[in-house]
Short mmCIF file of all heavy atoms in Angstrom, two decimals:
data_model
loop_
_atom_site.label_atom_id
_atom_site.label_comp_id
_atom_site.label_asym_id
_atom_site.label_seq_id
_atom_site.Cartn_x
_atom_site.Cartn_y
_atom_site.Cartn_z
N GLU A 295 27.64 53.53 -36.90
CA GLU A 295 26.51 54.21 -36.28
C GLU A 295 26.34 55.62 -36.85
O GLU A 295 25.21 56.08 -37.07
CB GLU A 295 26.71 54.27 -34.76
CG GLU A 295 26.52 52.92 -34.08
CD GLU A 295 26.94 52.93 -32.61
OE1 GLU A 295 27.76 53.80 -32.23
OE2 GLU A 295 26.46 52.07 -31.86
N ILE A 296 27.44 56.31 -37.07
CA ILE A 296 27.38 57.65 -37.67
C ILE A 296 26.85 57.56 -39.09
O ILE A 296 26.00 58.36 -39.51
CB ILE A 296 28.77 58.32 -37.65
CG1 ILE A 296 29.18 58.62 -36.20
CG2 ILE A 296 28.76 59.61 -38.47
CD1 ILE A 296 30.58 59.16 -36.06
N SER A 297 27.34 56.59 -39.84
CA SER A 297 26.88 56.39 -41.21
C SER A 297 25.38 56.17 -41.25
O SER A 297 24.66 56.79 -42.05
CB SER A 297 27.61 55.19 -41.83
OG SER A 297 27.05 54.87 -43.09
N GLU A 298 24.89 55.31 -40.37
CA GLU A 298 23.46 55.02 -40.33
C GLU A 298 22.66 56.23 -39.89
O GLU A 298 21.60 56.53 -40.44
CB GLU A 298 23.20 53.85 -39.38
CG GLU A 298 21.74 53.44 -39.29
CD GLU A 298 21.51 52.26 -38.38
OE1 GLU A 298 22.50 51.77 -37.77
OE2 GLU A 298 20.36 51.83 -38.24
N GLN A 299 23.18 56.95 -38.90
CA GLN A 299 22.46 58.11 -38.37
C GLN A 299 22.31 59.20 -39.43
O GLN A 299 21.31 59.92 -39.44
CB GLN A 299 23.20 58.66 -37.15
CG GLN A 299 22.47 59.81 -36.47
CD GLN A 299 23.03 60.11 -35.09
OE1 GLN A 299 23.45 59.21 -34.37
NE2 GLN A 299 23.06 61.36 -34.72
N LEU A 300 23.29 59.32 -40.31
CA LEU A 300 23.25 60.35 -41.34
C LEU A 300 22.57 59.87 -42.63
O LEU A 300 22.49 60.63 -43.59
CB LEU A 300 24.66 60.84 -41.65
CG LEU A 300 25.33 61.61 -40.50
CD1 LEU A 300 26.76 61.98 -40.87
CD2 LEU A 300 24.54 62.85 -40.14
N GLY A 301 22.11 58.63 -42.63
CA GLY A 301 21.33 58.16 -43.77
C GLY A 301 22.12 57.65 -44.94
O GLY A 301 21.57 57.52 -46.04
N PHE A 302 23.42 57.36 -44.77
CA PHE A 302 24.19 56.78 -45.85
C PHE A 302 23.82 55.31 -45.98
O PHE A 302 23.49 54.64 -45.00
CB PHE A 302 25.70 56.92 -45.60
CG PHE A 302 26.21 58.32 -45.81
CD1 PHE A 302 26.25 59.22 -44.75
CD2 PHE A 302 26.63 58.75 -47.05
CE1 PHE A 302 26.71 60.52 -44.92
CE2 PHE A 302 27.09 60.04 -47.25
CZ PHE A 302 27.14 60.93 -46.18
N ASN A 303 23.90 54.80 -47.20
CA ASN A 303 23.46 53.44 -47.45
C ASN A 303 24.28 52.40 -46.71
O ASN A 303 23.75 51.39 -46.24
CB ASN A 303 23.49 53.13 -48.95
CG ASN A 303 22.43 53.90 -49.71
OD1 ASN A 303 21.38 54.23 -49.15
ND2 ASN A 303 22.69 54.21 -50.96
N GLU A 304 25.58 52.61 -46.62
CA GLU A 304 26.45 51.66 -45.96
C GLU A 304 27.72 52.36 -45.49
O GLU A 304 28.13 53.38 -46.07
CB GLU A 304 26.81 50.50 -46.89
CG GLU A 304 27.37 50.95 -48.22
CD GLU A 304 27.52 49.80 -49.21
OE1 GLU A 304 26.68 48.88 -49.18
OE2 GLU A 304 28.47 49.84 -49.99
N PRO A 305 28.37 51.86 -44.43
CA PRO A 305 29.56 52.51 -43.87
C PRO A 305 30.70 52.67 -44.88
O PRO A 305 31.39 53.69 -44.87
CB PRO A 305 29.96 51.57 -42.73
CG PRO A 305 28.69 50.90 -42.32
CD PRO A 305 27.93 50.71 -43.60
N SER A 306 30.89 51.70 -45.76
CA SER A 306 31.98 51.78 -46.73
C SER A 306 31.77 52.95 -47.69
O SER A 306 32.73 53.64 -48.07
CB SER A 306 32.10 50.48 -47.52
OG SER A 306 30.89 50.20 -48.22
N TYR A 307 30.51 53.18 -48.08
CA TYR A 307 30.22 54.31 -48.97
C TYR A 307 30.42 55.64 -48.23
O TYR A 307 30.99 56.59 -48.77
CB TYR A 307 28.79 54.21 -49.48
CG TYR A 307 28.36 55.38 -50.33
CD1 TYR A 307 28.99 55.64 -51.53
CD2 TYR A 307 27.33 56.23 -49.92
CE1 TYR A 307 28.61 56.72 -52.32
CE2 TYR A 307 26.94 57.30 -50.70
CZ TYR A 307 27.59 57.54 -51.90
OH TYR A 307 27.23 58.62 -52.66
N PHE A 308 29.98 55.69 -46.96
CA PHE A 308 30.19 56.88 -46.15
C PHE A 308 31.68 57.18 -46.02
O PHE A 308 32.12 58.32 -46.17
CB PHE A 308 29.56 56.68 -44.77
CG PHE A 308 30.03 57.65 -43.72
CD1 PHE A 308 29.77 59.01 -43.83
CD2 PHE A 308 30.75 57.21 -42.61
CE1 PHE A 308 30.21 59.91 -42.87
CE2 PHE A 308 31.19 58.10 -41.64
CZ PHE A 308 30.92 59.46 -41.78
#
Side-chain angles (χ1 to χ4, degrees):
E295 288 171 337
I296 293 175
S297 172
E298 182 178 2
Q299 184 165 325
L300 293 177
F302 286 91
N303 291 331
E304 53 189 34
S306 60
Y307 176 63
F308 164 64

